[in-house]
């Protein structure tokens, strides 16, 4: 334990005067985005976004649908507006759900069964 301080350097450097966040530091690394790992990461972010949007639109649809009949008379303007909002929320919910499904399928990959992909790769 006595030799521990001699192995550790605690010197720190201070940033140069007037040097803030440069523009080049804020640019995305396009090489990483073009790599397969970067593409998978972006695909996973899209999938998370689509699943989150689907859940939010499910709650919007349920809330709008539940409030249509209770607070409005059938055939009045508020009733029609809430019914249209419920219908739109339902359509968007389905669209985001389908998009999330296809994003998951693309993320998982075609034929992602480990046994069949290794067999085909080893003996083909």
């Amino acid at each position: 334990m006595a030799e521990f301080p001699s192995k550790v350097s605690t010197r720190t450097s201070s940033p140069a005067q007037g040097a803030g966040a440069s523009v080049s530091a804020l640019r995305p690394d396009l090489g990483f985005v073009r790599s397969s790992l970067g593409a998978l990461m972006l695909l996973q972010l899209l999938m998370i976004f689509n699943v989150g949007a689907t859940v939010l639109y499910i709650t919007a649809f349920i809330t709008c649908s539940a409030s249509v009949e209770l607070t409005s008379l059938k055939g009045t303007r508020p009733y029609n507006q809430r019914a249209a909002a419920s219908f739109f929320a339902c359509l968007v919910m389905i669209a985001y759900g389908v998009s999330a499904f296809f994003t998951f399928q693309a993320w998982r990959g075609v034929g992602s069964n480990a046994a069949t992909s290794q067999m085909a790769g080893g003996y083909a």
Side-chain angles (χ1 to χ4, degrees):
M1 202 63 177
E3 70 271 355
F4 177 73
S6 64
K7 292 183 178 179
V8 177
S9 171
T10 58
R11 273 192 350 204
T12 59
S13 61
S14 61
Q17 289 293 339
S22 66
V23 176
S24 64
L26 299 176
R27 286 191 203 141
D29 183 12
L30 295 179
F32 175 72
V33 173
R34 290 181 184 140
S35 71
S36 60
L37 184 64
L40 284 174
M41 188 172 118
L42 288 176
L43 199 65
Q44 190 173 11
L45 287 174
L46 277 174
M47 183 177 62
I48 291 170
F49 171 77
N50 287 335
V51 169
T54 303
V55 169
L56 288 176
Y57 273 103
I58 286 172
T59 59
F61 171 67
I62 291 170
T63 304
C64 257
S65 298
S67 69
V68 166
E69 208 170 308
L70 297 175
T71 60
S72 309
L73 296 173
K74 194 171 186 176
T76 61
R77 183 179 173 105
Y79 177 85
N80 292 338
Q81 287 175 341
R82 287 193 177 103
S86 295
F87 179 72
F88 177 74
C90 182
L91 286 181
V92 174
M93 171 193 64
I94 290 170
Y96 272 118
V98 168
S99 181
F101 173 75
F102 284 127
T103 305
F104 176 73
Q105 291 295 325
W107 175 71
R108 194 177 80 181
V110 179
S112 66
N113 186 351
T116 58
S117 64
Q118 287 182 4
M119 289 297 290
Y123 295 107

